Amino acid sequence: NLNLGLPLDPGHPAVRRFFRLLSNFFALFEERLFGAWARLPLRFRQKITLFAWRLYLPLHRYLLGRRTGIHPDASFEYHALTTVMWWGRLFPVTIRRMRFSLSQMAVWHPPEAYPPCIKRHGGGWLGRRRTRGSSNCAIKYGGDQKKAIMPSVPAVVSRVRHDMGNGYVLAKGISKRAGGGGNSDTNIVTGYYIQHDPAHPSERVVLWLYGGAYLAGDSEGNLSLAEKVGQRCCGADVFLPDYRLLPEWEFYDALHDVVLAYEYLISVRGKQPENVVLLGISSGGGLATRLMQTIAELRADVASKRNNPADQVEDILRNPAGGVLMCPFVDYTEPKGSFKDYVKHDLIVNQSVFEEGIPHLASLGTMENRQIQSPAHRSFVGLPPLCVVVSEHECCYDQTVLLVNRARADGVETKLGVWRYMCHVFPVLSMFLPEGKQAMDFMVDWMWDRLTSSPLFA
């Protein structure tokens, strides 16, 4: 079921001309509208959004039911969201619009929305599993125990800006090792660091890499969701580094910034690699994969130059505990298969986003180099365990399957979760979608297992 079941072709020249005119009219005052909305208190914007959704959903369920999504087996919520978001494909997308939209992710994740915030208890965290210092376990999201889930004491969020000087290894010359040009490497790490209980600092940390097709996205917009995920991962810290974006910078600069951020966690914050889990969303999943591949490639290179390859490698070259890849964007070659065909019904990567974003892949140069830089086409030998979530009907499905198959062929333990009829990065829409809630639980359970498997948790 395409186009809400309406006889409307978004690619028809007359339709495109009409909505381009509307877009040009809106562009006259969109900056003022964006600015006015962004200046409203975040909590107010969250309440407005949540109220509007709770009012709209039953109306849609009664009037339209399951007639607007791509398949009747998708949830009522997904059909309702489709009716709202489908229209975005009719309007031209600009980088400014993409960046503003992704900067508002925190609006979709108020404390009471899924996953809900949880309160500290007895030195541990009330959650879905037993936690250190708490006798509570298997807390449910409904029934009599629902009252145990409530807004927590606010986490401490710190702005990070650290000059690494020359004290880094992995990121040094990253553009040369990657085979690209790249701008001058920077030695400054910036981002946000979340601590849930500074009085009892966590030894575990989630390295959170936001998405946005390398064109948009920011660490601040991801804070609300990252805080709640960190809570449910045994109260782990969360580090959300900034990385440079296209078209102002190059792909190699984004990779450099992410690798440097990981070095900051290990070398400056003193985190042990086995206590670090990477979480990458879309293009952030691509960067997370390239980070793990960089570690494995450099470790193999160091071992090959030593007389005794069995010598213990430096801390920075040990693998992290694992990587979570949410609908990863990992193939930068010529668009094909689901990446080209599914934009017709994907709510996130629609026709307009595709038309704006794809030309920027040319910044990687020749098709040969684009394949070399694509995480899905590189070696996975020596990578830590992976958890991958994707929708069978989203644009990145084919390349995600390629990544999973290559990882498993190279001996990497890989857990794959596949949902049907969902759009790209549907787990970040967990406020709205039951399928997003399921996928979020799937990832959090896996991260919990990875972060609590070390003797430190015993």
Side-chain angles (χ1 to χ4, degrees), residues 205-209 239-241 258 261-262 265 276-280 291:
V205 61
V206 177
L207 178 58
W208 186 287
L209 304 176
F239 180 39
L240 301 91
V258 165
Y262 177 78
L265 280 180
V276 178
V277 163
L278 314 182
L279 187 151
L291 168 57

Side-chain angles (χ1 to χ4, degrees), residues 69-82:
I70 65 170
H71 196 278
D73 285 351
S75 64
F76 281 109
E77 291 84 350
Y78 190 76
H79 285 264
L81 198 63
T82 298

Side-chain angles (χ1 to χ4, degrees), residues 372-399:
I372 291 172
Q373 303 311 326
S374 298
H377 294 287
R378 297 177 76 92
S379 172
F380 287 81
V381 173
L383 264 65
L386 301 176
C387 173
V388 184
V389 165
V390 70
S391 165
E392 187 179 340
H393 297 91
E394 66 147 294
C395 62
C396 287
Y397 176 69
D398 285 351
Q399 55 188 272

Side-chain angles (χ1 to χ4, degrees), residues 139-186:
I139 298 295
K140 305 297 183 182
Y141 296 129
D144 295 337
Q145 298 185 68
K146 187 175 181 181
K147 292 180 180 179
I149 308 294
M150 61 182 64
S152 68
V153 176
V156 175
V157 180
S158 306
R159 183 65 177 158
V160 172
R161 181 177 175 82
H162 182 80
D163 187 343
M164 295 287 287
N166 292 318
Y168 56 94
V169 178
L170 285 177
K172 197 178 294 292
I174 190 76
S175 62
K176 294 179 181 178
R177 293 206 306 272
N183 292 284
S184 298
D185 288 347
T186 177

Side-chain angles (χ1 to χ4, degrees), residues 189-320:
V189 175
T190 63
Y192 287 94
Y193 199 89
I194 301 173
Q195 285 185 298
H196 299 285
D197 189 359
H200 303 88
S202 175
E203 297 182 34
R204 298 165 186 81
V205 61
V206 177
L207 178 58
W208 186 287
L209 304 176
Y210 52 84
Y214 298 106
L215 297 167
D218 59 72
S219 54
E220 184 175 3
N222 283 251
L223 282 173
S224 293
L225 179 57
E227 177 185 346
K228 294 194 282 186
V229 169
Q231 281 186 342
R232 295 194 174 275
C233 291
C234 55
D237 293 351
V238 186
F239 180 39
L240 301 91
D242 302 317
Y243 61 83
R244 290 169 285 179
L245 301 172
L246 299 172
E248 295 89 346
W249 301 93
E250 297 186 22
F251 167 79
Y252 308 102
D253 301 311
L255 178 59
H256 168 87
D257 294 345
V258 165
V259 174
L260 192 68
Y262 177 78
E263 284 200 75
Y264 164 79
L265 280 180
I266 307 303
S267 303
V268 178
R269 288 273 179 174
K271 303 298 182 182
Q272 296 299 309
E274 57 269 23
N275 289 331
V276 178
V277 163
L278 314 182
L279 187 151
I281 304 171
S282 188
S283 54
L287 288 170
T289 307
R290 283 299 307 272
L291 168 57
M292 291 182 282
Q293 289 170 334
T294 297
I295 295 170
E297 290 164 5
L298 190 56
R299 183 173 61 241
D301 183 58
V302 169
S304 68
K305 295 176 181 177
R306 289 183 173 175
N307 294 328
N308 183 7
D311 287 346
Q312 186 175 8
V313 298
E314 302 175 50
D315 284 351
I316 198 65
L317 296 180
R318 300 207 315 269
N319 271 336

